[in-house]
Structures are given as C-alpha cells and as structure tokens.
Amino acid sequence: MAGQESTEVLIVGGGIAGCAAALASARTDAEVTLATKARRPEDASTWWAQGGIAISRDDPEQFKQDIIDASAGTADPEAVDVLVEKANDAVRDVLVETLEVPFDTGDGNDDFDFDFGREAAHDEERILHVDASTGSYVLERFLAFVDDHPDIHVLDDTAALDLITHEGEVRGAYLESGGDVRPIFAGATVLATGGVGDLYPESTNPSGSTGDGIAMAALAGADVADMEFVQFHPTVYVDEGGTLLISEAVRGEGAILQNAYGERFMPAYDEDAELAPRDVVARAVKRERDLSGEVFLDVSEVDFAGQFPDLVEQCEQRGIDWESGIPVTPAQHFLCGGISVDGRGRASLDGLYAVGECAHTGVHGANRLASTSLLEGLVWGLRAGEDAPGREPMPMDVPDLNDRDPALPDSFAREKFTRLRRVMGEYVDIDRDPDELDRALGVLRRLKGEVDAYVRTRTSRSLYELRNASVVALLIARAAAENDESVGTHNLVEPEESVGLHAE
Ligand code: SIN
C-alpha cells in the first residue's frame, strides 16, 4: 500500500459549502484536498446565486419564524436555530472580513452597514447582496482564497466517481481526472457536490448538477431524507439559449406577475401576493400559464435599470424587451432534501460529511426560504470543516477502476439523459399525480438497469454522472410516490388539476 495517495480531509465540490469546509479545516492546520469537477467558476451553482445571503438583523426569532413558515411548518427547529444563531458571525468573519466580498452598502444606521434587500416570505429587509450577482462575487473570492492557501490542495476538472468504504466507514473516494481513475484515502470525506438540476429539462443550475454526492452516499448506504422536496423557482425566463433566473429580489422591490390577459393574479392565490412562499408562487405561475398561455413579470414599478443593472444587461443580451414585461415560467431550482446530516454535517456513515445543497440539514423542510442556501452552505461548511480533521486516513487494497473498458459511445449518456429529463419534467415536476409517479418509477427503474449494466464494465465521467442522475431521480420519484400528503414543494393533484384551474 506504500505510495497510495491520502489526505486528512477530502472535500468534493468547490462551491461555497466546499470552500467553507476547506477554509475551516485549514484553520485547524489540517491537510486538505479539495476536488471539484468544475473547469470554471461558472460550473458551480454558487456562481449563479443572484439574490444574496439572509442574515439576522434586530429580530433573529422572526428570521427563524420566516424560515419555518416558508417551509409550511416542516423545517427542523433545531437546525433553524443553528443556521440563524451562527449566521452573522459566519458572514462577518468569512465573507466580510476574510474574503472582503463587496456587498452593496447602506445608510450607515446598521451594525452591518449594508443595503439589505427583501425577498418573498421574509418579514423584513435582511438580504446582503452585490447587485443581483451575489454568488459570483462570493465564489470568485473564495476560489482565490483556497487556491492560494498553502494547506489546501485544489484539484479542478476532477470528479469523484464512488466512495471507498470499509465496514460502514467511508475511507475516501475514487477520483477521475483526464480519464484516469485513482483512489484517494481520507480521514474524513466531505461531500459538497451541489444540486440536481440536470435531472430536469429546465433548471437554473449549471450543467453538471447531476446529484453526484447524493448518489455516491446513497449507494454507500448513507441515509437520505426529504428527496421529494424539489423546489421550482417561479420567475425564470427560458428560451433556446437556456434559462435566465429573474431574482426574487425584483419582486421584493415591487414587481408584479400578470397573466396573458394582463391580470395581476397573485392576490387571488395568497394574501402575501407576489411575496408568498416560493412554492405557492411557482404553482400559481404554472396554473396561470396553463390557463392563459403566458405569465409576465411586470417591472414597471421598479427602478429595474438602477437596482438590477446586471439583470438588465443579461436581459438585453438575450433580446428580452423587459420594459414590456419579462415572460417567466417556473424551473427547477433547488433540492431541499439530500444526505441526512447532523448539526456538524456528519452523515450516517463514519468518516462521511455532507454540506450545501447535497445535504439535508432539516433547515428547509418542504420548501426553502429565499436566500438561505448560500447561508446554509457557509454555516454547515464551516462547522463540518472544523469537525472533520483529526482522523488518520486508512489506505487499503481496492479494485483498480482503470482496468475497465473506457470506450462508450458518446450518444449513450446523451440519449439516456434526454429520457430521464423527459420523465422528470413530465411526471415528477411541480404537480404530481400518483399514477404518473408510478409510471415514472417504472421508466426510471428500467433506465437505471441499463446504466448499471454499463457501469459494471466501463468507467467514464459521463457514465457515472448518468448513473448518479438515475439513482437520484429514482430517490426523488420514490419519495414522492411514498408521500401522500401535499406539503410545500410536494404537490399532489388529481389528473385533471394538472392542466390548471383558475383560482376564483
Ligand atoms: C433568487 O435570487 O431569486 C434566488 C435566491 C434563492 O434561491 O435563494
């Protein structure tokens, strides 16, 4: 076993959660390896986060209550306590003082002198932001920090294919880079692999969001939870060029939603109208599109150009005449469930941690409150990163995955992905009909069987991504089929309802 590669802490994923874990581990003088399959910062979901980071202002209890209310009462209060009580110190220490993220500043009256924004289901303005491009400002600085840190060894364009386990304990992972696969042994392995947007035809996530960490953890026997709670963002512009998220912050500033008849419809669905929880608004937008053909975000009452110059630029690049209203539709945005972890990010297998979107901390319950995902990634990333060091890596003999036939027709993964996305988009989307969920399960089981047959003999990143996507799609569809209660993002309908009924 001499010469086998090992590290004290292996982190898989280079978004805010993975970088925060790396920073916290390195602060304890641990030796850290951070592997990310991203080739550019834009490959991480963090980069695309627009709205920002919610923190506590005068009333932390109200912040907690907003999280719980947005989740339809299903968020875990202990996890919410951790998030809110750690929020301000984490943001101040890491984002403000260490990384010097240039958050938009405010009127000088606050402890944190920032221009706090408002988003749906928040009781007050409490969102730190940089224009509507917060994620990219945070991630750029975080990546520069980890790249420059002497104790953090960053491997980019490097995917984790599988966890290495021994008697219920995780001892590292197989990493693939440039077609070569090698085991790396670790005292602790921290999964920070992000979301599952690639499972859906339309998503705000970057491509490559194939649920890798969740699939690897589940295949290794780790517990997962709440997989049916897939959040759809209500205001996404979609054309052949892909998706463009129109931040909830725009509704926070007063933009309204209108159907194709020019009617403002949200007040008929919820007393908080456009600022109702995200699941409520997404369902309403879907209904009104089904009924009237189109839904527009009317920004005429907002200083759109003044307050959201980045969004205006992106709209103009896409040829969107935003002054006449931006056509919007719901699109997959976030997974509230994931790998079950405790308050320190520890999963149910020894040596395994999960943080960020791939983890289920319990904070989001059945529906996530806006601008809490970067915060959750930061807080749990730091906590897991502090906890993970101190275990010796335990190298052992493992099979050589390079022995396998690497040849696989390119079209194989593409074709299967298309089928998987079609099933998820048709049967496991915002409205769910139990018969359709059963149909989805049948197709997804067959698809996974086909993929597994290849994985037994071939190794390639695209094949493993497809395997991960098919494992996670099945977990989502199965959890949805087993949950007969409509709550939050999990909305069961009778077949005829799924074509849309106007709210009276
Ligand atoms: C947005 O800017 O609308 C997205 C914020 C979030 O997902 O929390």
Side-chain angles (χ1 to χ4, degrees), residues 50-51 119 233 245 247-249 278 333 368-373:
Q50 292 188 2
E119 290 181 28
H233 196 289
L245 176 71
S247 176
E248 222 160 80
R278 194 172 278 175
H333 184 60
R368 176 171 70 80
L369 179 68
S371 284
T372 53
S373 57

Side-chain angles (χ1 to χ4, degrees), residues 58-77:
D58 301 329
D59 191 353
E61 294 310 311
Q62 185 60 49
F63 184 14
K64 292 178 190 173
Q65 196 56 49
D66 288 353
I67 294 173
I68 290 171
D69 290 346
S71 76
T74 57
D76 172 355

Side-chain angles (χ1 to χ4, degrees), residues 146-347:
V146 296
D147 268 335
D148 288 348
H149 199 291
D151 297 328
I152 304 174
H153 179 43
V154 178
L155 304 169
D156 49 25
D157 197 0
T158 301
L161 300 187
D162 257 328
L163 296 175
I164 298 168
T165 56
H166 180 73
E167 294 178 354
E169 176 187 55
V170 173
R171 292 200 177 175
Y174 283 100
L175 300 186
E176 180 275 341
S177 178
D180 285 334
V181 183
R182 64 187 198 281
I184 173 163
F185 296 93
T189 302
V190 183
L191 297 173
T193 55
V196 302
D198 259 356
L199 277 57
Y200 282 85
E202 284 156 2
S203 167
T204 60
N205 296 179
S207 85
S209 304
T210 45
D212 302 340
I214 300 172
M216 288 191 292
L219 290 171
D223 295 339
V224 298
D226 282 356
M227 291 297 290
E228 68 273 42
F229 298 128
V230 177
Q231 184 173 67
F232 290 77
H233 196 289
T235 54
V236 182
Y237 172 82
V238 180
D239 66 12
E240 56 289 349
T243 57
L244 171 61
L245 176 71
I246 310 294
S247 176
E248 222 160 80
V250 183
R251 273 177 285 132
E253 292 297 329
I256 59 164
L257 288 159
Q258 291 176 334
N259 63 20
Y261 311 122
E263 296 162 349
R264 182 181 180 204
F265 55 84
M266 273 315 301
Y269 286 85
D270 193 283
E271 62 182 3
D272 289 326
E274 280 80 2
L275 297 184
R278 194 172 278 175
D279 57 324
V280 175
V281 184
R283 277 194 294 278
V285 170
K286 179 179 186 303
R287 295 274 183 288
E288 295 294 323
R289 279 177 55 85
D290 288 343
L291 264 181
S292 77
E294 276 190 293
V295 165
F296 296 91
L297 186 67
D298 174 357
V299 297
S300 57
E301 296 301 312
V302 178
D303 176 14
F304 195 51
Q307 288 186 281
F308 300 99
D310 292 1
L311 276 177
V312 166
E313 193 183 321
Q314 291 179 66
C315 283
E316 290 179 351
Q317 278 165 5
R318 302 282 286 261
I320 305 167
D321 174 16
W322 55 269
E323 280 164 302
S324 309
I326 305 169
V328 288
T329 184
Q332 192 280 344
H333 184 60
F334 188 85
L335 178 66
C336 301
I339 304 160
S340 303
V341 296
D342 68 9
R344 295 253 164 212
R346 291 180 284 230

Side-chain angles (χ1 to χ4, degrees), residues 422-492:
R422 192 171 334 115
V423 172
M424 296 301 282
E426 279 178 20
Y427 301 147
V428 200
D429 65 345
I430 294 188
D431 291 331
R432 295 162 177 188
D433 160 6
D435 292 341
E436 291 187 347
L437 289 173
D438 282 346
R439 213 168 304 151
L441 279 171
V443 180
L444 292 170
R445 279 195 196 105
R446 280 196 296 283
L447 192 138
K448 182 169 174 301
E450 291 167 40
V451 176
D452 284 350
Y454 275 96
V455 170
R456 276 193 280 277
T457 57
R458 302 179 193 204
T459 311
S460 79
R461 191 184 298 189
S462 65
L463 181 60
Y464 273 75
E465 286 180 330
L466 176 63
R467 187 238 13 213
N468 296 338
S470 61
V471 168
V472 174
L474 258 178
L475 289 170
I476 293 172
R478 195 179 302 145
E482 285 171 0
N483 185 351
D484 58 11
E485 183 197 359
S486 280
V487 56
T489 54
H490 177 59
N491 186 48
L492 292 168

